[in-house]
Amino acid sequence: MRLHLATVLLLGGLVSSRPGVALEPYVVVEDAIPKALGARVGEVARGQDILRDRERGNCLICHQGADSAEPFQGAIGPPLVGIGARLDAGQIRLRLVDSSRLNPETVMPPYYRTEGLRDVAPAYRGKPALSEQEIEDVVAYLASLKTF
Amino acid sequence: MRLKLALGFLMAMVGAVAGGEEITSGSAFLSPELRHQQDDPTRNPAWFWVEQGQELFSRKPEAGQACSQCHAELEKSLRGAATRYPQVDAASGRLLNLEGRIEQCRVQRQKQPAFGYESGELLALTTYVASLSRGLAMDVETSGPAQPFYEAGKAFFERRQGQLNLSCKQCHGGLVGQKLRGDTISHGAGTGYPAYRLEWNGVGSLHRRLRACSLGVRATQFDYGAPEYLALELYLAGRAGGLPIETPAMRR
């Protein structure tokens, strides 16, 4: 198991990424993407909105977020409270971009990937679920959640 | 180490003996309040559709016969029918669900224009006919001519799809009982459909529910009655074999 994981990480690191036409290239180092996508600068407040927005991130369908005022939060993924204390920005970025690089069976959707998907609805075809700016906004927000 | 291995084998065997996955009805995942409402015919609004269906069933078209004239003795002729759908139509070799069979009778035997999928009339008739099988176990044919359809449905159920890259099986297998927002994920048995959904404020077909799940993962929504959803419906029905029909059910 541990060996398997290491192989996956190594492959990720060596091959780096083969992005679709519209995607910014990125490099995976161990279990992280250390550099911001397209050198964008994320904004915490916008990231928080995206997390809640049912049309965009809709993350709270599966995760318990940091805002207890939000009704009906999911309990499928790990709670996101204090996530910034557990993972650094680069680690969070890889988990958003494509968690299947760490766990092939993952339920966590790939938010910045267009290849290897099938039967994508026409409105979403050929586009990543979140843009590079939106990914960076969410990364900035989650990385700021350092307390429980 | 050796002990662990032995334990692993033992557990695999227990799973195989139990026949793998055990499926329970969607009703088992309702809140107690909604469940009570569903089980009380005076508070479950889906019974209006059953009544309307019963009325349509005995209504005689201008020319031609009423459904009730061919299916005279209801208890004998149509009780249990819904447990055997979808099924392969012997004449055409096509897979038909209950809606498809009702439309076929309407066009070929009654010589009337089709109602159309998800029309009020077809929903009412389907709900009524399915309600005649309430409490009877699902029992579809999945071998013989039905097998290729069943296999196609199974493959559909198990493959990841849509921009969010999730399979039906990941939710309705691995995540059963977990909270997706306000919903508790069930096995996706579908044995209560057509059902009254609070979100719809009315009765809708199983294919309407499937379209909602497709949309949820940002996958292609197939048309009502499309071959993809028919095959999926057959797989779901086969997987739910032995579970009682609960139409007309209530869902969130």
Side-chain angles (χ1 to χ4, degrees), chain A residues 5 8-9 30-31 91 94-95 98-104:
Chain A
L5 194 68
V8 171
L9 297 183
E30 296 187 356
D31 76 334
Q91 290 172 310
L94 177 59
R95 283 152 181 78
D98 190 359
S99 266
S100 73
R101 283 169 171 274
L102 301 172
N103 171 13

Side-chain angles (χ1 to χ4, degrees), chain A residues 55 58 61 106 118-119 127, chain B residues 160 162-163 181 218 220:
Chain A
E55 302 298 317
N58 199 16
I61 195 176
T106 195
R118 72 180 286 167
D119 287 338
K127 298 172 208 156
Chain B
R160 287 176 179 264
Q163 194 188 44
R181 285 261 188 212
R218 302 183 180 177
T220 308

